[in-house]
Amino acid sequence: DISTEKYNIIVENKIDARISFIRALENFNLIIVIIVIYISCMIVTEETNKGTIKSLLTKPHKRSTILISKMLACFITVLISIAFICISQYIIGGLFYGFDSYKLGYIGYDLNTNNLFKISVIQFMLIEVLVKMPIYIIISLFCIFMGTVNNNTSMSMIFTLIIFLLSSTILAEWSK
């Protein structure tokens, strides 16, 4: 994102709807991670704690089918929350700054060819979602694993959040 204040490319550091939309996933990443952790931990541990998993396991469904359906439910919840955040950010940014700036697109720098490139804002957001989705899936799988092993919802959630925050901090420092 070459539009940040440190590069001083935008005249007088003006933020428009396009830039606020581009930064939406960056700003709301922790909220999405908390949603993933909450849904993934609750989906198994609450059924175990309430005893409803026993009646579910007596049905003629394989355990792998039940687990895959729970993971699919987490995945769909993540997609819905990302879509809600992106759509609301698009509308709110357009109302505050005007929808005209969305036509400008995203300007990026390709390190391989040493050239600038331009894509639409929607294409950029789709790429961002595809890039971040494996992280959310790994977090979800880890939460489901912790919930299955631990059977303590709050401990699983806190432990997963601490691991995520530590790993993201380490990766941010290591990438510098």
Side-chain angles (χ1 to χ4, degrees):
D1 182 9
I2 62 172
S3 61
T4 57
E5 288 83 13
K6 71 178 182 178
Y7 294 114
N8 202 18
I9 291 178
I10 296 177
V11 179
E12 300 173 11
N13 291 329
K14 291 184 180 176
I15 302 295
D16 58 5
R18 172 183 52 105
I19 294 170
S20 67
F21 184 66
I22 287 171
R23 294 180 182 167
L25 285 182
E26 179 182 321
N27 294 335
F28 292 107
N29 188 39
L30 186 60
I31 293 172
I32 296 170
V33 167
I34 289 173
I35 290 170
V36 169
I37 289 173
Y38 179 77
I39 296 296
S40 300
C41 283
M42 297 295 281
I43 207 161
V44 173
T45 57
E46 285 301 309
E47 283 195 15
T48 305
N49 291 339
K50 291 180 181 179
T52 56
I53 194 76
K54 292 178 185 175
S55 65
L56 183 62
L57 291 174
T58 60
K59 304 290 184 209
H61 302 292
K62 294 181 183 177
R63 291 178 184 217
S64 60
T65 307
I66 294 169
L67 193 59
I68 289 172
S69 65
K70 290 183 179 296
M71 288 187 285
L72 188 63
C74 292
F75 181 72
I76 290 171
T77 305
V78 170
L79 287 178
I80 289 171
S81 62
I82 289 173
F84 177 75
I85 288 171
C86 289
I87 290 169
S88 62
Q89 183 66 34
Y90 185 86
I91 292 170
I92 291 170
L95 291 175
F96 276 102
Y97 302 113
F99 290 96
D100 294 337
S101 65
Y102 291 127
K103 296 176 187 174
L104 298 174
Y106 174 80
I107 300 170
Y109 184 74
D110 187 0
L111 293 171
N112 294 328
T113 62
N114 293 327
N115 291 324
L116 291 174
F117 65 91
K118 179 182 172 185
I119 59 175
S120 74
V121 176
I122 302 297
Q123 286 176 327
F124 175 77
M125 289 306 282
L126 288 175
I127 292 170
E128 280 285 312
V129 168
L130 289 175
V131 166
K132 292 190 180 212
M133 195 54 66
I135 295 168
Y136 301 142
I137 291 171
I138 290 170
I139 291 171
S140 178
L141 292 174
F142 184 76
C143 285
I144 290 172
F145 172 73
M146 287 298 297
T148 304
V149 171
N150 193 4
N151 285 338
N152 188 341
T153 308
S154 58
M155 189 171 176
S156 299
M157 291 170 65
I158 291 171
F159 185 67
T160 306
L161 187 61
I162 289 171
I163 287 177
F164 169 75
L165 292 174
L166 283 175
S167 64
S168 62
T169 304
I170 290 169
L171 286 174
E173 291 299 319
W174 182 51
S175 66
K176 289 180 183 179

Short mmCIF file of all heavy atoms in Angstrom, two decimals, residues 20-66:
data_model
loop_
_atom_site.label_atom_id
_atom_site.label_comp_id
_atom_site.label_asym_id
_atom_site.label_seq_id
_atom_site.Cartn_x
_atom_site.Cartn_y
_atom_site.Cartn_z
N SER A 20 -9.57 3.62 2.62
CA SER A 20 -10.20 3.05 3.81
C SER A 20 -10.73 1.65 3.53
O SER A 20 -10.70 0.78 4.40
CB SER A 20 -11.32 3.96 4.33
OG SER A 20 -12.38 4.00 3.43
N PHE A 21 -11.19 1.40 2.31
CA PHE A 21 -11.66 0.07 1.94
C PHE A 21 -10.50 -0.91 1.82
O PHE A 21 -10.59 -2.05 2.26
CB PHE A 21 -12.43 0.14 0.62
CG PHE A 21 -13.03 -1.16 0.19
CD1 PHE A 21 -14.04 -1.75 0.93
CD2 PHE A 21 -12.61 -1.77 -0.96
CE1 PHE A 21 -14.60 -2.95 0.53
CE2 PHE A 21 -13.17 -2.97 -1.38
CZ PHE A 21 -14.16 -3.56 -0.63
N ILE A 22 -9.38 -0.47 1.28
CA ILE A 22 -8.20 -1.31 1.13
C ILE A 22 -7.65 -1.71 2.50
O ILE A 22 -7.22 -2.84 2.71
CB ILE A 22 -7.12 -0.60 0.29
CG1 ILE A 22 -7.55 -0.57 -1.18
CG2 ILE A 22 -5.76 -1.24 0.45
CD1 ILE A 22 -6.67 0.29 -2.06
N ARG A 23 -7.73 -0.82 3.46
CA ARG A 23 -7.20 -1.09 4.80
C ARG A 23 -8.21 -1.79 5.71
O ARG A 23 -7.92 -2.03 6.87
CB ARG A 23 -6.77 0.21 5.44
CG ARG A 23 -5.59 0.84 4.74
CD ARG A 23 -5.19 2.11 5.40
NE ARG A 23 -4.09 2.73 4.69
CZ ARG A 23 -3.69 3.96 4.90
NH1 ARG A 23 -4.31 4.72 5.78
NH2 ARG A 23 -2.69 4.46 4.21
N ALA A 24 -9.38 -2.13 5.20
CA ALA A 24 -10.45 -2.71 6.03
C ALA A 24 -10.02 -4.02 6.67
O ALA A 24 -10.20 -4.21 7.88
CB ALA A 24 -11.72 -2.89 5.21
N LEU A 25 -9.48 -4.95 5.90
CA LEU A 25 -9.09 -6.25 6.47
C LEU A 25 -7.92 -6.11 7.42
O LEU A 25 -7.81 -6.87 8.39
CB LEU A 25 -8.77 -7.24 5.37
CG LEU A 25 -9.96 -7.82 4.63
CD1 LEU A 25 -9.51 -8.83 3.59
CD2 LEU A 25 -10.95 -8.45 5.56
N GLU A 26 -7.05 -5.15 7.16
CA GLU A 26 -5.93 -4.92 8.06
C GLU A 26 -6.43 -4.41 9.41
O GLU A 26 -5.96 -4.83 10.46
CB GLU A 26 -4.99 -3.89 7.42
CG GLU A 26 -3.79 -3.53 8.24
CD GLU A 26 -2.95 -2.47 7.55
OE1 GLU A 26 -2.81 -2.54 6.31
OE2 GLU A 26 -2.46 -1.58 8.24
N ASN A 27 -7.41 -3.52 9.37
CA ASN A 27 -7.93 -2.94 10.61
C ASN A 27 -8.84 -3.89 11.37
O ASN A 27 -8.92 -3.82 12.59
CB ASN A 27 -8.69 -1.64 10.30
CG ASN A 27 -7.77 -0.57 9.77
OD1 ASN A 27 -6.57 -0.58 10.02
ND2 ASN A 27 -8.32 0.34 9.00
N PHE A 28 -9.56 -4.75 10.67
CA PHE A 28 -10.52 -5.64 11.31
C PHE A 28 -10.02 -7.07 11.44
O PHE A 28 -10.80 -7.97 11.75
CB PHE A 28 -11.84 -5.63 10.53
CG PHE A 28 -12.57 -4.32 10.61
CD1 PHE A 28 -12.60 -3.47 9.52
CD2 PHE A 28 -13.20 -3.93 11.78
CE1 PHE A 28 -13.27 -2.26 9.59
CE2 PHE A 28 -13.87 -2.73 11.86
CZ PHE A 28 -13.90 -1.88 10.77
N ASN A 29 -8.73 -7.30 11.22
CA ASN A 29 -8.19 -8.66 11.26
C ASN A 29 -8.36 -9.29 12.64
O ASN A 29 -8.74 -10.45 12.74
CB ASN A 29 -6.71 -8.64 10.86
CG ASN A 29 -6.14 -10.03 10.70
OD1 ASN A 29 -6.81 -10.92 10.18
ND2 ASN A 29 -4.91 -10.21 11.13
N LEU A 30 -8.11 -8.54 13.70
CA LEU A 30 -8.24 -9.09 15.04
C LEU A 30 -9.69 -9.46 15.36
O LEU A 30 -9.94 -10.48 16.00
CB LEU A 30 -7.70 -8.11 16.08
CG LEU A 30 -7.64 -8.63 17.51
CD1 LEU A 30 -6.73 -9.86 17.61
CD2 LEU A 30 -7.17 -7.56 18.46
N ILE A 31 -10.64 -8.67 14.87
CA ILE A 31 -12.05 -8.98 15.09
C ILE A 31 -12.41 -10.28 14.38
O ILE A 31 -13.11 -11.13 14.95
CB ILE A 31 -12.94 -7.82 14.63
CG1 ILE A 31 -12.71 -6.61 15.53
CG2 ILE A 31 -14.41 -8.22 14.62
CD1 ILE A 31 -13.38 -5.36 15.08
N ILE A 32 -11.93 -10.45 13.16
CA ILE A 32 -12.21 -11.68 12.42
C ILE A 32 -11.58 -12.88 13.13
O ILE A 32 -12.19 -13.94 13.24
CB ILE A 32 -11.72 -11.56 10.97
CG1 ILE A 32 -12.51 -10.48 10.23
CG2 ILE A 32 -11.84 -12.88 10.23
CD1 ILE A 32 -11.96 -10.12 8.88
N VAL A 33 -10.36 -12.72 13.63
CA VAL A 33 -9.69 -13.81 14.36
C VAL A 33 -10.47 -14.15 15.63
O VAL A 33 -10.64 -15.34 15.95
CB VAL A 33 -8.22 -13.42 14.68
CG1 VAL A 33 -7.61 -14.37 15.69
CG2 VAL A 33 -7.40 -13.40 13.42
N ILE A 34 -10.97 -13.17 16.34
CA ILE A 34 -11.76 -13.44 17.55
C ILE A 34 -13.05 -14.17 17.19
O ILE A 34 -13.46 -15.10 17.91
CB ILE A 34 -12.02 -12.14 18.32
CG1 ILE A 34 -10.72 -11.66 18.94
CG2 ILE A 34 -13.09 -12.33 19.38
CD1 ILE A 34 -10.78 -10.29 19.59
N ILE A 35 -13.68 -13.80 16.08
CA ILE A 35 -14.89 -14.52 15.63
C ILE A 35 -14.55 -15.97 15.32
O ILE A 35 -15.27 -16.89 15.70
CB ILE A 35 -15.51 -13.81 14.41
CG1 ILE A 35 -16.12 -12.48 14.83
CG2 ILE A 35 -16.56 -14.68 13.74
CD1 ILE A 35 -16.55 -11.61 13.67
N VAL A 36 -13.43 -16.18 14.60
CA VAL A 36 -13.01 -17.54 14.26
C VAL A 36 -12.75 -18.35 15.52
O VAL A 36 -13.20 -19.50 15.64
CB VAL A 36 -11.74 -17.51 13.36
CG1 VAL A 36 -11.13 -18.88 13.22
CG2 VAL A 36 -12.06 -16.93 12.02
N ILE A 37 -12.03 -17.77 16.47
CA ILE A 37 -11.71 -18.48 17.70
C ILE A 37 -12.98 -18.80 18.48
O ILE A 37 -13.16 -19.92 18.97
CB ILE A 37 -10.72 -17.65 18.55
CG1 ILE A 37 -9.34 -17.64 17.90
CG2 ILE A 37 -10.62 -18.20 19.98
CD1 ILE A 37 -8.34 -16.72 18.55
N TYR A 38 -13.88 -17.85 18.59
CA TYR A 38 -15.11 -18.07 19.36
C TYR A 38 -15.96 -19.18 18.75
O TYR A 38 -16.37 -20.10 19.44
CB TYR A 38 -15.90 -16.76 19.45
CG TYR A 38 -17.19 -16.91 20.21
CD1 TYR A 38 -17.19 -16.97 21.60
CD2 TYR A 38 -18.40 -17.00 19.54
CE1 TYR A 38 -18.37 -17.12 22.30
CE2 TYR A 38 -19.58 -17.15 20.23
CZ TYR A 38 -19.57 -17.21 21.61
OH TYR A 38 -20.73 -17.36 22.30
N ILE A 39 -16.22 -19.07 17.45
CA ILE A 39 -17.06 -20.07 16.78
C ILE A 39 -16.41 -21.44 16.83
O ILE A 39 -17.07 -22.45 17.13
CB ILE A 39 -17.35 -19.65 15.32
CG1 ILE A 39 -18.15 -18.37 15.28
CG2 ILE A 39 -18.04 -20.76 14.55
CD1 ILE A 39 -19.53 -18.47 15.88
N SER A 40 -15.12 -21.51 16.56
CA SER A 40 -14.45 -22.82 16.51
C SER A 40 -14.37 -23.48 17.88
O SER A 40 -14.50 -24.70 17.97
CB SER A 40 -13.04 -22.65 15.94
OG SER A 40 -13.09 -22.13 14.65
N CYS A 41 -14.14 -22.70 18.91
CA CYS A 41 -14.08 -23.30 20.25
C CYS A 41 -15.46 -23.71 20.74
O CYS A 41 -15.61 -24.75 21.38
CB CYS A 41 -13.45 -22.32 21.24
SG CYS A 41 -11.66 -22.21 21.09
N MET A 42 -16.46 -22.91 20.44
CA MET A 42 -17.81 -23.20 20.93
C MET A 42 -18.45 -24.38 20.21
O MET A 42 -19.28 -25.06 20.79
CB MET A 42 -18.70 -21.96 20.78
CG MET A 42 -18.26 -20.78 21.59
SD MET A 42 -18.38 -21.08 23.34
CE MET A 42 -20.11 -20.83 23.58
N ILE A 43 -18.07 -24.62 18.98
CA ILE A 43 -18.75 -25.61 18.15
C ILE A 43 -18.56 -27.03 18.68
O ILE A 43 -19.42 -27.88 18.49
CB ILE A 43 -18.31 -25.46 16.68
CG1 ILE A 43 -19.40 -25.94 15.76
CG2 ILE A 43 -17.02 -26.18 16.41
CD1 ILE A 43 -19.24 -25.43 14.35
N VAL A 44 -17.47 -27.29 19.37
CA VAL A 44 -17.23 -28.63 19.89
C VAL A 44 -17.39 -28.69 21.40
O VAL A 44 -18.06 -29.58 21.92
CB VAL A 44 -15.80 -29.12 19.49
CG1 VAL A 44 -15.47 -30.44 20.15
CG2 VAL A 44 -15.69 -29.23 17.99
N THR A 45 -16.80 -27.72 22.11
CA THR A 45 -16.79 -27.80 23.57
C THR A 45 -18.17 -27.65 24.18
O THR A 45 -18.48 -28.31 25.18
CB THR A 45 -15.85 -26.76 24.18
OG1 THR A 45 -16.23 -25.46 23.73
CG2 THR A 45 -14.42 -27.03 23.81
N GLU A 46 -19.01 -26.82 23.61
CA GLU A 46 -20.35 -26.65 24.18
C GLU A 46 -21.19 -27.91 23.99
O GLU A 46 -21.98 -28.25 24.87
CB GLU A 46 -21.05 -25.44 23.56
CG GLU A 46 -20.52 -24.12 24.07
CD GLU A 46 -20.65 -23.97 25.58
OE1 GLU A 46 -21.76 -24.19 26.11
OE2 GLU A 46 -19.64 -23.66 26.22
N GLU A 47 -21.05 -28.58 22.86
CA GLU A 47 -21.78 -29.83 22.68
C GLU A 47 -21.27 -30.90 23.62
O GLU A 47 -22.04 -31.73 24.10
CB GLU A 47 -21.68 -30.30 21.22
CG GLU A 47 -22.57 -29.54 20.30
CD GLU A 47 -22.73 -30.23 18.97
OE1 GLU A 47 -22.39 -31.42 18.86
OE2 GLU A 47 -23.22 -29.57 18.05
N THR A 48 -19.97 -30.90 23.90
CA THR A 48 -19.42 -31.87 24.84
C THR A 48 -19.88 -31.56 26.25
O THR A 48 -20.26 -32.47 27.00
CB THR A 48 -17.88 -31.87 24.76
OG1 THR A 48 -17.49 -32.10 23.42
CG2 THR A 48 -17.28 -32.94 25.64
N ASN A 49 -19.83 -30.28 26.63
CA ASN A 49 -20.21 -29.89 27.99
C ASN A 49 -21.70 -30.09 28.26
O ASN A 49 -22.09 -30.48 29.36
CB ASN A 49 -19.84 -28.43 28.25
CG ASN A 49 -18.35 -28.23 28.31
OD1 ASN A 49 -17.59 -29.16 28.54
ND2 ASN A 49 -17.91 -27.00 28.09
N LYS A 50 -22.55 -29.84 27.27
CA LYS A 50 -23.99 -30.00 27.45
C LYS A 50 -24.46 -31.44 27.24
O LYS A 50 -25.58 -31.77 27.56
CB LYS A 50 -24.74 -29.07 26.50
CG LYS A 50 -24.59 -27.62 26.85
CD LYS A 50 -25.35 -26.74 25.90
CE LYS A 50 -25.18 -25.28 26.26
NZ LYS A 50 -25.89 -24.40 25.32
N GLY A 51 -23.62 -32.26 26.65
CA GLY A 51 -23.97 -33.65 26.43
C GLY A 51 -24.72 -33.91 25.13
O GLY A 51 -25.13 -35.04 24.88
N THR A 52 -24.90 -32.89 24.30
CA THR A 52 -25.62 -33.10 23.05
C THR A 52 -24.79 -33.85 22.02
O THR A 52 -25.33 -34.38 21.06
CB THR A 52 -26.07 -31.76 22.44
OG1 THR A 52 -24.92 -30.91 22.27
CG2 THR A 52 -27.08 -31.07 23.33
N ILE A 53 -23.49 -33.92 22.24
CA ILE A 53 -22.63 -34.66 21.32
C ILE A 53 -22.94 -36.16 21.37
O ILE A 53 -22.80 -36.86 20.37
CB ILE A 53 -21.13 -34.37 21.60
CG1 ILE A 53 -20.24 -34.84 20.45
CG2 ILE A 53 -20.68 -35.00 22.88
CD1 ILE A 53 -20.26 -33.96 19.27
N LYS A 54 -23.38 -36.63 22.53
CA LYS A 54 -23.71 -38.06 22.67
C LYS A 54 -24.89 -38.44 21.79
O LYS A 54 -24.87 -39.47 21.12
CB LYS A 54 -24.00 -38.40 24.13
CG LYS A 54 -22.80 -38.32 25.01
CD LYS A 54 -23.15 -38.61 26.45
CE LYS A 54 -21.94 -38.40 27.34
NZ LYS A 54 -22.26 -38.56 28.75
N SER A 55 -25.91 -37.59 21.77
CA SER A 55 -27.06 -37.89 20.91
C SER A 55 -26.70 -37.73 19.44
O SER A 55 -27.25 -38.44 18.59
CB SER A 55 -28.25 -37.01 21.28
OG SER A 55 -27.96 -35.65 21.00
N LEU A 56 -25.78 -36.82 19.14
CA LEU A 56 -25.34 -36.65 17.76
C LEU A 56 -24.53 -37.85 17.29
O LEU A 56 -24.67 -38.29 16.14
CB LEU A 56 -24.53 -35.36 17.63
CG LEU A 56 -24.05 -34.98 16.25
CD1 LEU A 56 -25.23 -34.73 15.32
CD2 LEU A 56 -23.18 -33.75 16.33
N LEU A 57 -23.72 -38.40 18.18
CA LEU A 57 -22.89 -39.54 17.81
C LEU A 57 -23.69 -40.83 17.70
O LEU A 57 -23.22 -41.80 17.09
CB LEU A 57 -21.75 -39.71 18.82
CG LEU A 57 -20.68 -38.61 18.79
CD1 LEU A 57 -19.69 -38.81 19.91
CD2 LEU A 57 -19.98 -38.57 17.44
N THR A 58 -24.88 -40.88 18.27
CA THR A 58 -25.71 -42.08 18.13
C THR A 58 -26.43 -42.14 16.79
O THR A 58 -26.96 -43.19 16.42
CB THR A 58 -26.76 -42.16 19.26
OG1 THR A 58 -27.60 -41.01 19.19
CG2 THR A 58 -26.09 -42.24 20.62
N LYS A 59 -26.45 -41.05 16.07
CA LYS A 59 -27.08 -41.01 14.74
C LYS A 59 -26.19 -41.77 13.75
O LYS A 59 -25.00 -41.95 13.97
CB LYS A 59 -27.27 -39.57 14.28
CG LYS A 59 -28.05 -38.71 15.23
CD LYS A 59 -29.49 -39.10 15.26
CE LYS A 59 -30.25 -38.14 16.16
NZ LYS A 59 -31.38 -38.68 16.78
N PRO A 60 -26.76 -42.18 12.62
CA PRO A 60 -25.97 -42.97 11.66
C PRO A 60 -25.05 -42.11 10.79
O PRO A 60 -25.03 -42.23 9.57
CB PRO A 60 -27.04 -43.66 10.83
CG PRO A 60 -28.20 -42.74 10.87
CD PRO A 60 -28.16 -42.11 12.22
N HIS A 61 -24.29 -41.20 11.41
CA HIS A 61 -23.33 -40.38 10.69
C HIS A 61 -21.93 -40.72 11.17
O HIS A 61 -21.72 -41.02 12.34
CB HIS A 61 -23.60 -38.89 10.93
CG HIS A 61 -24.96 -38.45 10.56
ND1 HIS A 61 -25.40 -38.40 9.25
CD2 HIS A 61 -26.01 -38.04 11.31
CE1 HIS A 61 -26.65 -37.98 9.22
NE2 HIS A 61 -27.05 -37.75 10.46
N LYS A 62 -20.99 -40.66 10.26
CA LYS A 62 -19.61 -40.92 10.63
C LYS A 62 -19.08 -39.73 11.44
O LYS A 62 -19.52 -38.59 11.25
CB LYS A 62 -18.74 -41.09 9.39
CG LYS A 62 -19.07 -42.32 8.59
CD LYS A 62 -18.14 -42.41 7.40
CE LYS A 62 -18.49 -43.60 6.54
NZ LYS A 62 -17.64 -43.67 5.34
N ARG A 63 -18.14 -39.99 12.30
CA ARG A 63 -17.55 -38.92 13.10
C ARG A 63 -16.81 -37.92 12.21
O ARG A 63 -16.82 -36.73 12.47
CB ARG A 63 -16.61 -39.49 14.16
CG ARG A 63 -17.34 -40.23 15.23
CD ARG A 63 -16.40 -40.83 16.23
NE ARG A 63 -17.18 -41.61 17.17
CZ ARG A 63 -16.93 -41.69 18.46
NH1 ARG A 63 -15.89 -41.07 18.94
NH2 ARG A 63 -17.69 -42.40 19.25
N SER A 64 -16.19 -38.42 11.17
CA SER A 64 -15.48 -37.52 10.26
C SER A 64 -16.45 -36.59 9.55
O SER A 64 -16.15 -35.42 9.32
CB SER A 64 -14.67 -38.33 9.25
OG SER A 64 -15.52 -39.17 8.48
N THR A 65 -17.63 -37.09 9.20
CA THR A 65 -18.65 -36.24 8.55
C THR A 65 -19.12 -35.15 9.49
O THR A 65 -19.30 -34.00 9.08
CB THR A 65 -19.85 -37.10 8.11
OG1 THR A 65 -19.38 -38.18 7.32
CG2 THR A 65 -20.84 -36.28 7.33
N ILE A 66 -19.30 -35.50 10.75
CA ILE A 66 -19.72 -34.50 11.74
C ILE A 66 -18.65 -33.44 11.91
O ILE A 66 -18.94 -32.24 11.92
CB ILE A 66 -20.05 -35.19 13.08
CG1 ILE A 66 -21.26 -36.11 12.93
CG2 ILE A 66 -20.27 -34.17 14.18
CD1 ILE A 66 -21.50 -37.02 14.11
#
